[in-house]
Amino acid sequence: MRTPPHPLSDSLVKPFLRNRLDRYAVRLEELDFLLSREDIMADMAQYRAISREHAEVTQIAGRWARFRQREADLQGAREMLDDPDMAEMAQEEIAAAEAELARLDDELQRLLLPKDPDDARAAFLEVRAGTGGDESALFAGDLVRMYTRYAASVGWKVEVLSASESELGGFKEAVLRIDGDDVYGALRFESGGHRVQRVPATETQGRIHTSACTVAVMPEPDEQEALTLNPADLRIDTFRASGAGGQHINKTDSAVRVVHIPTGIVAECQDGRSQHANKAQALRVLQARLQEKDRSERAAKEAALRKGLIGSGDRSDRIRTYNFPQGRLTDHRINLTLYKLDKVMEGDLGDVIAALRSARESEQLAELEAEV
């Protein structure tokens, strides 16, 4: 009896996607030629950009070539089923080919998803205490520690650009710069309202309090693509650094605060060794905030037309609850609940980040399927 075809996803058997995948082999040849040209090699920015594309196209073209090879293997194995001497071996080959084709199908779909060029960038991460007074500031400190430990676990570098400590500990506000591989892509969905439910250390009656913080994650602007700031729109103030901004803080007026007058957006930096370094970093943070403002406004318009799975990342959204009495973390956007809050607060964010990225990929896959 002939084995019926494996119910593979229809996405890769449709002509539209097959034609699209076939073009990657052609593009790979073009990129090979470009990388061999001396004028391209002499321009490092262009060479790096083409090299990045070459790596991506090589991966997709290789997977697609393997997919087509396994399709041919599967067809050949099915044709051997009618031969009694070959039927058992054919069944084994059919099972192996179908399993690999299903895996390759999933990989190719994800590789074809549109990529945000900002995902690979470093990011500015801001944590601000909200409702809840001192307890909110303590929770802000816990969040800063959580992100710092997660960054260390994946080999990222963290700089504290500015920090305003509260009297009982924690932070009223802290701004971090995180650098490494795929930082913004991993942390982008952390933007929003973070709510904590626990018994504060100052609570004598053992009552559970609820407080909140807001987190904002912004990609660091590319220097060549950064917004051009009109000096007339800026007010730059210097002041004496204080608090836990960093080990290089000194007693001079080296800290810098930059105000973008048209929008009222403010950025400051006090961690650098000099006023010049702090001004440069504050301007980069300001550019990131202005670009994030533009991004948020565009996202709001898009969300009005179509409600996204993850949402716009609006800072007022309550995206996550940290319930300490139950040891529970709940991300409300994707209905994710984990009972390992102690580990999460120590920086074990991998499962949370993976679930959020997977949810976004599923949404993109649905959009891709709808286009076909």
Side-chain angles (χ1 to χ4, degrees):
M1 179 177 178
R2 190 176 295 274
T3 303
H6 187 282
L8 290 174
S9 167
D10 290 336
S11 65
L12 291 178
V13 299
K14 292 183 178 179
F16 169 79
L17 282 177
R18 285 184 175 272
N19 292 337
R20 183 175 171 184
L21 285 161
D22 285 338
R23 288 199 296 270
Y24 278 90
V26 177
R27 180 57 178 164
L28 188 58
E29 292 181 1
E30 295 173 349
L31 293 170
D32 284 335
F33 170 70
L34 289 173
L35 288 175
S36 69
R37 286 172 41 177
E38 292 185 5
D39 58 328
I40 298 293
M41 289 188 284
D43 184 341
M44 286 309 298
Q46 191 174 17
Y47 183 79
R48 282 195 296 268
I50 294 175
S51 295
R52 282 195 297 269
E53 184 184 357
H54 186 275
E56 293 175 1
V57 171
T58 298
Q59 186 179 28
I60 295 173
R63 295 288 199 286
W64 179 229
R66 178 63 179 173
F67 185 93
R68 291 190 300 177
Q69 177 60 54
R70 295 305 278 156
E71 272 189 323
D73 294 342
L74 178 60
Q75 181 61 32
R78 285 174 174 160
E79 291 172 357
M80 291 191 297
L81 284 174
D82 293 331
D83 184 339
D85 296 330
M86 303 293 291
E88 184 176 351
M89 185 175 70
Q91 288 283 12
E92 293 176 357
E93 174 61 16
I94 287 171
E98 287 180 339
E100 187 173 358
L101 282 168
R103 177 178 61 79
L104 289 166
D105 176 73
D106 182 69
E107 289 180 9
L108 281 165
Q109 288 185 71
R110 295 184 187 282
L111 287 170
L112 286 175
L113 295 178
K115 296 176 178 62
D116 187 333
D118 286 338
D119 281 355
R121 299 195 189 286
F124 297 115
L125 186 145
E126 305 176 355
V127 181
R128 287 186 174 83
T131 55
D134 291 330
E135 169 62 10
S136 178
L138 291 170
F139 181 52
D142 292 338
L143 289 177
V144 169
R145 181 172 177 268
M146 177 184 75
Y147 290 123
T148 300
R149 292 205 164 194
Y150 175 71
S153 73
V154 294
W156 295 342
K157 178 183 176 183
V158 178
E159 300 174 67
V160 180
L161 300 185
S162 64
S164 174
E165 291 185 335
S166 71
E167 294 179 0
L168 295 181
F171 299 106
K172 296 176 183 176
E173 175 184 315
V175 181
L176 313 179
R177 178 182 180 270
I178 306 178
D179 191 14
D181 295 332
D182 198 34
V183 174
Y184 182 68
L187 296 179
R188 61 186 301 164
F189 297 123
E190 293 303 297
S191 291
H194 294 241
R195 183 178 66 173
V196 61
Q197 295 172 325
R198 64 184 176 187
V199 179
T202 55
E203 170 59 55
T204 58
Q205 313 246 344
R207 293 173 298 184
I208 296 173
H209 288 223
T210 298
S211 56
C213 292
T214 56
V215 173
V217 181
M218 302 166 294
E220 183 176 54
D222 184 286
E223 291 184 4
Q224 296 180 345
E225 300 175 3
L227 296 171
T228 301
L229 298 175
N230 185 348
D233 291 339
L234 304 177
R235 188 180 78 241
I236 300 176
D237 303 319
T238 59
F239 59 99
R240 183 164 297 176
S242 62
Q247 61 181 341
H248 303 305
I249 285 177
N250 52 44
K251 300 299 183 181
T252 63
D253 291 342
S254 62
V256 174
R257 180 184 297 111
V258 182
V259 181
H260 187 245
I261 298 171
T263 61
I265 293 176
V266 180
E268 66 180 48
C269 183
Q270 55 181 283
D271 186 53
R273 295 175 182 270
S274 68
Q275 186 180 111
H276 177 76
N278 282 330
K279 178 181 176 182
Q281 192 64 275
L283 286 170
R284 291 164 74 189
V285 174
L286 179 64
Q287 288 177 324
R289 289 178 178 169
L290 288 169
Q291 290 189 348
E292 179 64 18
K293 178 177 181 292
D294 179 64
R295 179 198 297 267
S296 297
E297 289 173 351
R298 283 187 280 110
K301 290 179 182 178
E302 293 171 5
L305 298 174
R306 179 183 58 81
K307 177 65 176 175
L309 177 66
I310 301 296
S312 66
D314 189 294
R315 299 181 194 185
S316 63
D317 290 344
R318 188 194 72 192
I319 64 167
R320 191 175 299 155
T321 295
Y322 303 74
N323 186 303
F324 278 76
Q326 298 179 15
R328 169 176 56 82
L329 177 144
T330 301
D331 195 291
H332 305 288
R333 297 164 294 179
I334 56 174
N335 296 320
L336 172 72
T337 297
L338 298 175
Y339 286 92
K340 59 171 196 174
L341 184 56
D342 54 340
K343 293 182 179 179
V344 170
M345 299 310 295
E346 290 297 318
D348 185 4
L349 272 173
D351 290 344
V352 180
I353 289 172
L356 287 164
R357 298 189 79 162
S358 178
R360 176 56 181 154
E361 287 177 353
S362 296
E363 184 185 50
Q364 289 178 305
L365 284 171
E367 293 170 359
L368 189 64
E369 183 71 17
E371 292 176 2
V372 178

